[in-house]
Amino acid sequence: QQLKYNSLILHSLSSYQRAKEWLEQRSYKEINLFLDSDRAGKEYAAKFKQDFIQAKDQSSLFARENLKDLNDYLKHNHVGFK
């Protein structure tokens, strides 16, 4: 089975420039950001949104549950992948 969406995972925000260059070479209609809900995550979400008009910050998904990141959200809600 083929995945419906592409994913780009940043293990560190210091990878921003490489991610930006990679995204600039593609034409995505939508970019969903699941960065950490801390200050640094919010700062880089703003950078992505400034550089890519189609970028949307989705961190509210886990921030509203007072969770730090998407991984915490998946564990907290017992979401798994097969």
Side-chain angles (χ1 to χ4, degrees):
Q1 181 179 1
Q2 196 169 13
L3 293 174
K4 188 176 178 181
Y5 302 100
N6 293 331
S7 297
L8 173 63
I9 299 170
L10 303 179
H11 293 284
S12 169
L13 293 174
S14 64
S15 302
Y16 174 78
Q17 189 60 39
R18 285 181 40 203
K20 179 182 178 228
E21 291 167 5
W22 188 86
L23 287 167
E24 287 173 336
Q25 296 173 9
R26 287 141 182 92
S27 56
Y28 288 106
K29 290 188 277 182
E30 192 173 308
I31 300 172
N32 291 296
L33 305 171
F34 295 92
L35 301 173
D36 289 1
S37 61
D38 60 8
R39 185 181 58 77
K42 292 293 182 193
E43 179 182 321
Y44 276 85
K47 278 179 102 165
F48 269 108
K49 288 167 54 176
Q50 181 179 336
D51 291 334
F52 300 97
I53 195 156
Q54 69 274 38
K56 296 180 177 101
D57 183 5
Q58 302 292 351
S59 65
S60 64
L61 171 73
F62 42 86
R64 68 177 166 237
E65 293 186 36
N66 214 23
L67 300 169
K68 181 182 184 260
D69 58 26
L70 182 60
N71 187 52
D72 285 349
Y73 174 83
L74 295 173
K75 290 189 299 186
H76 180 75
N77 291 288
H78 308 288
V79 176
F81 299 97
K82 295 179 181 175

